[in-house]
Amino acid sequence: MDREQSHGVFTGLLRRDLKLAVRAPSQWLNPLLFFVIAVSLFPLGIGPEPNTLREIAPGVIWVAALLAAMLAQDSLFRADFEDGSLEQILTSPHPMSMIVAAKVLAHWFITGLPVIILSPVLAVLMSLSFEGWWALLLTLLLGTPILSLLGAVGAALVVSVKRGGVLLSLLVLPLCIPVLIFATAAVKTATVGLSIEGQLSLLAALLAFTVTLSPIAISGALRATGGGG
Amino acid sequence: MQTQRILYNVETQSRESLVVVPLNSSHPDTMEYSDVDPEQVMLKVERLGCERNDRTLFAGLNFDLKSGELIQVDGPNGSGKTTLLRTICGLLPVDEGKVYWCGEPIQKNRFEFLSQLIFVGHKHGTKDELTARENLDIDQLLAGQRSPISADQALTRLGVADCRDQLCRQLSAGQRQRVALARLLVSVGRLWVLDEPLTALDQAAQNTVRDLLSNHLDNGGMVVITSHQKMDWDGLLKKTIRLGYG
Amino acid sequence: MWDWFHRLGSPKYFYGFAGALVPWLAGLCVILFAVGLYLGLVIAPSDYQQGDSYRIIFVHVPSAWMSMFVYVLMAIFAAIGLIWRVKLTAILATASAPIGASFTFLALATGSIWGKPMWGTWWVWDARLTSELILFFLYLGFIALQTAIPDRQTAWRAASILLLVGVVNIPIIHYSVDWWYTLHQPATITKFDTPSIHLSMLIPLLIMAVAFKVFYITVLLSRARAEILDRERKTHWVQDLVRSEQI
C-alpha cells in the first residue's frame, strides 16, 4: 500500500461523505437548526436584558453547540453500519485510523463549520461585544473539532445500539467538560478586555491531544462493535 | 506496488505477488493469479467456535481452503452461517480457535489478508444516495488492489449498465445486489466471501454469478459462500460445511 | 508465580479461590469497620471549628478515594482484557462498576450532608464535589453502555474502550474543574483541606480507608462469583456444582 493510494482513500472518502451530506441535507441541517433555536430560547426564558444576556452568552452558545454536536454525531457511523458500508470499511486493508480521520473531518465540515459560520448571528442575538464574538469564533474553531472527535468515539461505541443517540450523549458529554470550561472562560475573559492566550493554548493542547489519540480509540471501538449486527 | 512485491519475495516465494491479467478485454471477467500452487492451504480454520448471546452457534469447526476451491456453508436460519462468514472476515472477534491466512492468524496478518479479501455481505454495503458507479468507485478505493476492470465494465458484466448513473435507492433489490456483486470485479481479491449472493437475483443474473465464480475458481481464486439455492453446479462445489445439525 | 496467575485467570479456579477467601475478608472487614468507626466517632476529639460534623470525613474521604481507585482499577482490567484476552477481567470490571458507582454516590451524598451545616445548603459547586459528580456520570455511562449492547463479548470490548478513554480524560477533567473553581471562587476555604490533621483523626481515617478497601474486595469477589456462575452456567463444572448443592 503506497502513500499515494492511501491518500486517494482519504480524499475519496472525504468526498463521498460530503457528497452524501449534500444529497441528504437533513442529517446536518436539523442539528444546526436545533442549535439556533436552542440559543434563541434563552432570551425568551430569561429576559431580553442585554447585560444578562451578555453574561450568559458564552455558556449558552457553547452548551447549545455541545448538544447540537451530540445530535449530529449519532449519524456519523450509523448510516454506514445500517447499509453495510461499515463492513466494507472494516474489511479494507487501508489503515483504519486514516479512514476514520477522513470521516470525522467530513463530519466536522458539515456540522462544526456551519456553527462557526453562524456565530456572528448568535453573537448579535446574545448581545455579545465584538471582542466576545472574536473569542467565541476562535474557541469554536479550536473546540468543535475536539467535540467531533470525542463524539466520534461515542458514535463508534453505540453504533450497533438501536436509538443510541441518548446513550451517546451520556457517554461523551462528561468528556467534553474541559472544552466547555476553557472555551467559555476564554469568551468571558475576552469580554472584559483581557488576554485569552492562556485559554486558547489550553484548547489547542487539548485539540492536539485529541487529534492524536482519538482515531485509535475510534478504530478500536468500530472494530469492537461495528462488525456485529 | 513495487515495494510490496519486493517485500513478498523476500518473505516467501509462494506468496509472491499476483500478476493481474484480464481474461480478455472485450469480455472482462475475473483475474488470473499466476502464482497458483494448488496444494497450498490458503485459508485455514481451526477449532473455530462461536457463542452469541449465551448460545453456542458452532464449536470445533475445522476446514481449509486451497486455490481454486469453493466452500458452501449450509444450515437452517439462525444456525450461524452469517456469523461464521463474519468471523472468517475478521469482522467478529474469534472467541475460540483460530483463522489462518497463508499460515498466519488473520489478526496478525491483517493487511495481507484484507488486501486479498472481498466481502459481499447480507447488507450490501452500497450507499442509497450514491449512484451505482460512485458506489463502485468507493469500493475500488477501499480495496487493496484495483483491477484493470473499470466500474462501467463491471456494471455491464452484471447487466446493470443502464442504471450506472441512477441513485442506488431508485434501484430494485435485485439491481442493488448486482451493483454490490460488481464489486468482485473492480478489485483484485483472491478470497471472495459471499453471504447469500443469489437471493434477489433472477435466473439470468444467477447464471452470470455462476460464471463469475467458475472463472474465479479456474484462475486460482477461492470462494466461501452461503446460499439457500441448491448448489449442484457441476464442478464448482468442493466442500460443504453444515451448521446447526446437532 | 506466573503459573498461579494463569490458573487464577480461569473462571473455575477463581470461583473456588474467591469462595474460600470471602468469609475471611468479610470478618476482617467487620472488625476494621468496628474499630475505625469507634475510633473515629467516639475517641477522636471534636474539631475546634466544625464541631462534630467533621466526623463524616471518616466515610466521605475513604469513599471518595475508593471511587477513583475503582475506576482506575477497572481501566487496568480493560487494558489487560484488550491485550491478553483474559476472560476474568471482564467479570471483575463488570462486577466492580456498581460498587464503584456506589462509592461515588456515597462520596457525593456525604459531601452534600456535610455541606448543609457548613455552607447552609445541600449542594455547592465545590471543585472536588464537581469532579466527583463527573466521575459518577462516567460510571453511569459505563454501566449504560454495557447494558445497551446485548452480546456480552461486544459489550465488554466496547465498554473497555470507553474505560480507557475515560481514564485518560479523568486527569484533564479534574484539572479543568479545579481551574474553573479557582476562577469563579478565589480564596475560599477548600473543604476537608486540613493542613495538618491530628494523629487521633488520621489513624481512624486510615483504618477506615483500609476497611473500605477490604469491603470492596469482599463485595467484588462475591459479585464476581455470581457473575461467573451466570456466564458459565452451561459448563459442566457449574452444572455439577448446582447438582451437588441441591442434594
Side-chain angles (χ1 to χ4, degrees), chain C residues 2-231:
Chain C
W2 181 247
D3 208 45
W4 181 76
F5 264 120
H6 217 74
R7 260 196 303 161
L8 200 59
S10 102
K12 182 187 171 184
Y13 184 81
F14 184 84
Y15 182 84
F17 173 77
L21 221 55
V22 163
W24 295 97
L25 285 171
L28 181 64
C29 181
V30 170
I31 295 170
L32 281 170
F33 266 121
V35 174
L37 286 176
Y38 178 73
L39 287 181
L41 300 186
V42 182
I43 302 292
S46 298
D47 185 80
Y48 73 98
Q49 268 184 328
Q50 308 180 5
D52 277 335
S53 61
Y54 88 94
R55 291 183 199 272
I56 204 165
I57 66 160
F58 296 120
V59 178
H60 174 86
V61 172
S63 48
W65 284 345
M66 285 309 287
S67 64
M68 198 57 237
F69 173 79
V70 173
Y71 196 90
V72 173
L73 198 64
M74 281 162 63
I76 294 171
F77 288 143
I80 295 174
L82 283 178
I83 298 169
W84 288 293
R85 303 278 156 103
V86 188
K87 252 187 181 176
L88 196 62
T89 53
I91 294 166
L92 288 176
T94 313
S96 291
I99 316 175
S102 312
F103 282 134
T104 320
F105 182 77
L106 193 62
L108 280 173
T110 49
S112 152
I113 292 169
W114 181 86
K116 184 63 183 160
M118 287 299 114
W119 296 317
T121 164
W122 291 109
W123 182 262
V124 166
W125 287 95
D126 164 81
R128 289 183 203 191
L129 278 182
T130 311
S131 286
E132 202 68 22
L133 183 67
I134 297 168
L135 184 62
F136 190 55
F137 292 152
L138 291 180
Y139 271 114
L140 293 187
F142 172 84
I143 296 171
L145 180 66
Q146 237 193 352
T147 41
I149 300 177
D151 181 62
R152 254 191 200 139
Q153 294 258 357
T154 316
W156 165 237
R157 278 153 54 92
S160 10
I161 290 167
L162 181 69
L163 276 177
L164 292 180
V165 173
V167 90
V168 168
N169 271 286
I170 279 181
I172 303 175
I173 295 175
H174 194 81
Y175 168 75
S176 69
V177 169
D178 270 356
W179 188 83
W180 163 84
Y181 183 70
T182 49
L183 189 73
H184 289 271
Q185 268 160 302
T188 44
I189 319 150
T190 325
K191 149 180 174 315
F192 302 138
D193 209 17
T194 344
S196 59
I197 185 166
H198 193 265
L199 206 61
S200 58
M201 297 176 186
L202 184 64
I203 289 172
L205 185 62
L206 291 180
I207 293 177
M208 285 302 280
V210 177
F212 266 70
K213 219 145 257 176
V214 176
F215 172 80
Y216 164 67
I217 299 169
T218 316
V219 180
L220 172 67
L221 291 183
S222 319
R223 286 185 56 88
R225 270 162 61 89
E227 187 80 25
I228 287 173
L229 285 187
D230 184 33
R231 284 176 190 233

Side-chain angles (χ1 to χ4, degrees), chain A residues 47-210:
Chain A
E49 222 286 299
N51 280 330
T52 320
L53 289 182
R54 200 168 299 139
E55 180 75 12
I56 60 166
V60 165
I61 295 175
W62 256 98
V63 169
L66 207 59
L67 296 179
M70 291 307 113
L71 278 184
Q73 283 300 333
D74 192 39
S75 62
L76 177 54
F77 297 115
R78 188 173 303 281
D80 284 350
F81 176 75
E82 277 163 4
D83 63 24
S85 307
L86 190 56
E87 288 169 351
Q88 295 303 321
I89 288 174
L90 287 167
T91 53
S92 162
H94 296 277
M96 205 41 195
S97 32
M98 186 196 65
I99 294 177
V100 158
K103 282 197 66 78
V104 176
L105 182 61
H107 205 259
W108 180 78
F109 274 133
I110 55 174
T111 59
L113 208 53
V115 166
I116 295 170
I117 294 169
L118 276 180
S119 68
V121 181
L122 297 169
V124 171
L125 282 182
M126 300 299 289
S127 321
L128 262 184
S129 61
F130 176 78
E131 288 76 24
W133 167 71
W134 181 241
L136 180 70
L137 188 77
L138 290 177
T139 56
L140 284 173
L141 216 48
L142 288 170
T144 47
I146 305 179
L147 301 187
S148 288
L149 287 160
L150 288 176
V153 177
L157 286 173
V158 303
V159 72
S160 66
V161 179
K162 286 199 181 69
R163 285 185 287 279
V166 182
L167 181 59
L168 166 71
S169 311
L170 187 60
L171 301 184
V172 176
L173 284 176
L175 304 179
C176 295
I177 287 170
V179 180
L180 180 70
I181 288 176
F182 295 134
T184 49
V187 181
K188 277 207 175 128
T189 314
T191 48
V192 295
L194 295 173
S195 157
I196 54 167
E197 256 171 54
Q199 289 91 326
L200 290 183
S201 329
L202 282 169
L203 276 176
L206 268 184
L207 177 60
F209 182 71
T210 328

Side-chain angles (χ1 to χ4, degrees), chain B residues 213-224:
Chain B
L213 293 183
S214 164
N215 262 324
H216 182 59
L217 296 174
D218 285 348
N219 296 332
M222 282 156 285
V223 180
V224 180

Side-chain angles (χ1 to χ4, degrees), chain B residues 1 21 30-31 40-41 43-44 53 57 65-66 70 89 113 116 121 127 135 141 144 147 154-155 158 169 199 206 239:
Chain B
M1 252 23 330
V21 185
T30 45
M31 301 332 109
Q40 197 202 348
V41 172
L43 181 77
K44 186 177 168 67
N53 303 323
L57 290 174
L65 203 57
K66 295 172 187 159
L70 177 145
C89 292
F113 173 64
Q116 293 299 324
K127 282 270 160 209
N135 264 309
L141 268 182
S147 81
L155 289 170
L158 268 297
R169 65 140 148 217
T199 31
Q206 289 190 15
K239 296 173 184 168

Side-chain angles (χ1 to χ4, degrees), chain B residues 72-140:
Chain B
Q72 185 189 8
V73 181
D74 195 14
N77 291 337
S79 59
K81 298 190 293 290
T82 299
T83 307
L84 173 59
L85 257 54
R86 288 163 169 281
T87 313
I88 292 174
C89 292
L91 283 170
L92 290 175
V94 181
D95 301 342
E96 254 183 72
K98 284 261 160 66
V99 181
Y100 298 96
W101 176 255
C102 293
E104 288 217 45
I106 53 169
Q107 281 76 12
K108 295 215 173 106
N109 206 6
R110 199 188 278 278
F111 172 74
E112 274 183 40
F113 173 64
L114 292 181
S115 34
Q116 293 299 324
L117 170 76
I118 308 181
F119 176 63
V120 180
H122 197 63
K123 297 185 276 188
H124 291 150
T126 51
K127 282 270 160 209
D128 277 355
E129 300 299 331
L130 294 181
T131 66
R133 198 196 309 196
E134 286 168 338
N135 264 309
L136 279 182
D137 286 343
I138 287 292
D139 288 336
Q140 203 165 26

